[in-house]
C-alpha cells in the first residue's frame, strides 16, 4: 500500500514537472504558437491634403494589427491607422509607422517626406533654430556684452551659455515680419540650476550694438532666479517655465525687420542649453 502511494506521488510530480517546464519555455521556442501574426505589415502611404499646404494624410495599408504608433520627427505617439499631420516648416522628415500585432509583436516602416515650403502663417521664421549644422550656427551672431567671463558654445543640435562673476553674453539674428500679425517666440531650455542668474529673450526693432547691454522693449520671456525659476534643474518649453517678461506673443504695426536677442548672465550660470528656437505666426 505504501508502494502504491509513493508511485502515485511520483506520477503526479512528474506530470506537474512537465507542465511547469512547458510553461517556462520562451514563446519563440514553439513554432507557430498562434500568439503572433506572421503577416504583420506596417506599410503606409503619404498623401498631400488637397487645397491645403503642409498637411498630409498617413494611411496604413494593411489593417491586420491591433493598433498603430507613429513618429513624424517629434517622438513616438499612439495614433490611428489614418492620421492627418501638419508640418509647418520646410524640410525633410523621416515618417515612421509602427504596427503592433498579437502577442505584442511589432513591425515598422519608414518613408522620407520632403516639405518644400514653410507654411506662410505658422512656419518658423527663425533660421537655424535647431543648431544642427554649420549653416544653422552661421545664422546667429554673438552679442558681446561683457569683455569676458560669459560665452555661448554651439554643439550639434543645441547652444549653451555659461557665465560667472556677473558677466553676460547674447546671440541674435534679424528676422522679417509682417505688420498687424501676432507672433509667438519660444524654445526648449534645459539646465541643472543656476545661482543669481538671468536668462532673457527680446524681440524688438532695435538692433543690438556690440559691447553694449541689450534691453530694447523689455524682456518677453525668461528665467530669473530672484523671481523663482532657473535655480533648480529644469527642462521644457521656455514659455511654460518662464517667470519673467511681458509674454511671448508680439506684434508690429507694419512690415519691418526685428531682432531676436537671447542673452544670459549672472553670478554663477550653471550652463543653460537651448534648441528648437521658434518665432511663429499665430493668426
Amino acid at each position: 500500500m505504501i508502494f502504491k502511494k509513493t508511485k502515485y506521488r511520483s506520477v503526479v510530480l512528474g506530470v506537474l514537472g512537465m507542465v511547469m517546464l512547458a510553461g517556462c519555455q520562451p514563446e519563440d521556442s514553439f513554432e507557430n504558437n498562434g500568439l503572433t501574426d506572421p503577416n504583420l505589415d506596417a506599410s503606409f502611404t503619404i498623401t498631400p491634403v488637397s487645397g491645403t499646404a503642409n498637411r498630409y494624410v498617413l494611411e496604413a495599408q494593411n489593417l491586420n494589427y491591433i493598433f498603430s504608433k507613429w513618429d513624424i520627427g517629434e517622438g513616438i505617439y499612439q495614433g490611428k491607422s489614418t492620421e492627418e499631420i501638419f508640418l509647418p516648416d520646410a524640410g525633410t522628415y523621416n515618417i515612421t509607422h509602427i504596427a503592433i500585432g498579437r502577442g505584442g509583436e511589432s513591425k515598422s516602416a519608414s518613408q522620407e517626406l520632403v516639405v518644400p515650403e514653410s507654411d506662410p502663417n505658422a512656419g518658423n521664421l527663425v533660421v537655424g533654430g535647431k543648431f544642427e549644422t554649420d549653416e544653422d550656427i552661421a545664422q546667429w551672431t554673438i552679442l558681446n556684452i561683457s569683455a569676458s567671463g560669459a560665452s555661448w558654445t554651439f554643439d550639434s543640435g543645441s547652444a549653451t551659455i555659461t557665465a560667472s562673476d556677473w558677466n553676460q553674453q547674447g546671440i541674435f539674428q534679424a528676422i522679417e515680419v509682417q505688420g498687424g500679425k501676432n507672433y509667438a517666440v519660444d524654445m526648449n531650455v534645459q539646465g541643472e540650476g543656476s545661482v543669481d542668474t538671468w536668462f532673457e529673450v527680446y524681440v524688438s526693432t532695435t538692433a543690438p550694438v556690440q559691447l553694449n547691454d541689450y534691453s530694447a522693449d523689455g524682456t518677453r520671456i525668461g528665467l530669473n532666479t530672484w523671481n523663482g525659476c532657473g535655480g533648480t534643474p529644469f527642462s521644457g518649453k521656455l514659455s511654460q517655465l518662464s517667470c519673467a517678461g511681458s509674454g511671448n506673443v508680439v506684434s508690429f504695426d507694419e512690415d519691418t525687420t526685428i531682432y531676436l536677442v537671447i542673452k544670459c548672465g549672472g553670478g554663477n550660470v550653471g550652463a543653460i542649453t537651448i534648441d528648437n528656437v521658434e518665432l511663429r505666426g499665430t493668426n
Side-chain angles (χ1 to χ4, degrees), residues 4 12 84 101 116 129 235 276:
K4 288 182 179 180
V12 171
E84 182 174 316
S235 179
N276 295 329

Side-chain angles (χ1 to χ4, degrees), residues 82 92 106 109 132 220 225 229:
T82 300
T92 300
S106 67
E132 290 179 340
R220 296 297 181 175
T225 56
C229 62

Side-chain angles (χ1 to χ4, degrees), residues 119-125 181-185 250 279-283:
D119 180 83
N121 292 317
N124 187 11
L125 298 183
K181 184 178 177 63
N182 289 332
Y183 296 91
V185 61
V250 298
L279 183 72
R280 297 184 184 274
T282 62
N283 62 349

Side-chain angles (χ1 to χ4, degrees), residues 207-241:
V209 177
Q210 294 293 342
L211 297 179
N212 283 267
D213 197 1
Y214 192 89
S215 59
D217 298 322
T219 304
R220 296 297 181 175
I221 50 176
L223 305 173
N224 187 296
T225 56
W226 294 276
N227 289 357
C229 62
T232 57
F234 57 88
S235 179
K237 285 287 190 181
L238 180 57
S239 60
Q240 298 173 356
L241 298 170

Side-chain angles (χ1 to χ4, degrees), residues 5-245:
K5 288 183 178 179
T6 303
K7 184 177 181 181
Y8 175 74
R9 289 196 190 97
S10 299
V11 171
V12 171
L13 290 173
V15 172
L16 288 173
M18 293 174 64
V19 171
M20 292 176 65
L21 180 61
C24 293
Q25 293 294 320
E27 185 178 294
D28 57 7
S29 69
F30 294 87
E31 184 177 353
N32 190 22
N33 58 26
L35 293 178
T36 58
D37 185 356
N39 299 315
L40 189 61
D41 182 6
S43 62
F44 65 99
T45 59
I46 303 175
T47 307
V49 176
S50 178
T52 305
N54 300 78
R55 293 189 181 274
Y56 302 86
V57 173
L58 313 177
E59 186 173 5
Q61 293 300 284
N62 187 327
L63 302 182
N64 187 28
Y65 58 86
I66 297 173
F67 61 88
S68 288
K69 291 185 178 181
W70 298 91
D71 186 350
I72 61 174
E74 300 176 345
I76 298 172
Y77 68 95
Q78 186 169 330
K80 300 177 182 178
S81 58
T82 300
E83 290 279 303
E84 182 174 316
I85 61 173
F86 177 50
L87 299 172
D89 299 328
T92 300
Y93 296 82
N94 188 50
I95 310 297
T96 300
H97 176 227
I98 305 170
I100 310 297
R102 297 194 307 268
E105 183 185 14
S106 67
K107 286 189 177 180
S108 65
S110 298
Q111 293 188 51
E112 199 171 78
L113 171 62
V114 177
V115 178
E117 296 181 355
S118 294
D119 180 83
N121 292 317
N124 187 11
L125 298 183
V126 176
V127 182
K130 294 182 180 295
F131 306 102
E132 290 179 340
T133 65
D134 290 340
E135 291 182 355
D136 286 346
I137 295 169
Q139 305 301 320
W140 297 90
T141 300
I142 296 289
L143 176 60
N144 292 299
I145 301 173
S146 303
S148 62
S151 64
W152 283 90
T153 57
F154 299 97
D155 199 355
S156 178
S158 65
T160 300
I161 175 70
T162 56
S164 60
D165 297 328
W166 308 104
N167 294 293
Q168 58 179 331
Q169 191 179 74
I171 57 174
F172 70 93
Q173 69 171 255
I175 301 172
E176 301 298 320
V177 297
Q178 298 176 10
K181 184 178 177 63
N182 289 332
Y183 296 91
V185 61
D186 214 342
M187 66 196 69
N188 292 338
V189 292
Q190 181 178 356
E192 296 181 356
S194 301
V195 178
D196 297 335
T197 293
W198 60 89
F199 179 94
E200 300 168 345
V201 178
Y202 300 86
V203 183
S204 172
T205 57
T206 301
V209 177
Q210 294 293 342
L211 297 179
N212 283 267
D213 197 1
Y214 192 89
S215 59
D217 298 322
T219 304
R220 296 297 181 175
I221 50 176
L223 305 173
N224 187 296
T225 56
W226 294 276
N227 289 357
C229 62
T232 57
F234 57 88
S235 179
K237 285 287 190 181
L238 180 57
S239 60
Q240 298 173 356
L241 298 170
S242 175
C243 64

